[in-house]
Amino acid sequence: MALHKSANIPAPPDEVWDLICDWAGMLRWWLTAEEGGLQGPALVTCELIGEHDSVPRTRRMTLGNGIVVDEQIFYQNDETQRIYYRKSDDQSLTGYIASTYVDEIEGGDCASHISCMFDVRDPADRAPAAARFEAVYAAMFEGYRRYFTRTTAG
């Protein structure tokens, strides 16, 4: 399966890029379910494995239900503002590889993009897996938007 989602973010591309590259800094911008983020297990911790600017580096996310998910950046280009990363396999999917990148748009703001590919273990899981990642990406984009709205407002 392959997905591509993007959203405009009301902030300069370099600032959004810095936020994205702070690989274990998710708790700064991740929205709780009460704030309008994803429903389900809460993100409890996000720790960095590796050095802040090194490649590879991994973020280990622990959810409220005890599930641990690792995402490892294996390519980063600060000039083109693009990263590639992989997610640890789980019971329903394998081979998740994604790219996140930032493009400047008119007015000094930017568009953030996420493209991914993955395989589902059971063909019946294709639609639910796509819907899950679309919801995750929408929550990420909303978290970025609110983060920059908060930081510029106050």
Side-chain angles (χ1 to χ4, degrees), residues 60 71 101 104 119 153:
R60 176 162 291 155
E71 289 183 335
Y101 59 99
E104 186 171 359
D119 298 313

Side-chain angles (χ1 to χ4, degrees), residues 119-151:
D119 298 313
V120 292
R121 296 183 193 273
D122 180 346
D125 290 336
R126 288 177 62 89
R132 180 176 73 181
F133 284 115
E134 287 174 355
V136 168
Y137 301 155
M140 291 171 65
F141 295 142
E142 185 60 21
Y144 298 162
R145 282 196 281 278
R146 289 197 197 177
Y147 174 83
F148 287 106
T149 301
R150 285 190 306 261
T151 57

Side-chain angles (χ1 to χ4, degrees), residues 9-21 102 110-112 144 148:
I9 310 297
D14 290 344
E15 291 180 23
V16 175
W17 182 243
D18 288 344
L19 187 71
I20 290 168
C21 289
V102 177
C110 71
S112 178
Y144 298 162
F148 287 106

Side-chain angles (χ1 to χ4, degrees), residues 47-65:
E47 66 180 290
L48 182 64
I49 300 169
E51 297 299 317
H52 178 71
D53 290 323
S54 68
V55 175
R57 68 182 175 279
T58 299
R59 65 178 166 204
R60 176 162 291 155
M61 299 167 285
T62 303
L63 305 180
N65 61 0

Side-chain angles (χ1 to χ4, degrees), residues 6-120:
S6 62
N8 292 351
I9 310 297
D14 290 344
E15 291 180 23
V16 175
W17 182 243
D18 288 344
L19 187 71
I20 290 168
C21 289
D22 181 8
W23 199 233
M26 286 181 70
L27 291 173
R28 290 189 308 155
W29 54 264
W30 186 255
L31 301 174
T32 65
E34 296 78 27
E35 296 171 314
L38 286 177
Q39 299 300 308
L43 177 62
V44 177
T45 65
C46 186
E47 66 180 290
L48 182 64
I49 300 169
E51 297 299 317
H52 178 71
D53 290 323
S54 68
V55 175
R57 68 182 175 279
T58 299
R59 65 178 166 204
R60 176 162 291 155
M61 299 167 285
T62 303
L63 305 180
N65 61 0
I67 291 177
V68 175
V69 178
D70 287 351
E71 289 183 335
Q72 180 188 62
I73 293 177
F74 61 89
Y75 173 84
Q76 178 174 333
N77 186 319
D78 293 326
E79 186 176 314
T80 61
Q81 296 184 324
R82 179 180 298 271
I83 56 172
Y84 285 92
Y85 55 99
R86 61 182 139 249
K87 181 176 110 44
S88 54
D89 292 348
D90 65 31
Q91 293 178 345
S92 64
L93 62 93
T94 63
Y96 179 93
I97 295 178
S99 177
T100 297
Y101 59 99
V102 177
D103 287 327
E104 186 171 359
I105 58 176
E106 192 173 312
D109 290 342
C110 71
S112 178
H113 305 267
I114 301 173
S115 297
C116 74
M117 295 186 309
F118 57 90
D119 298 313
V120 292

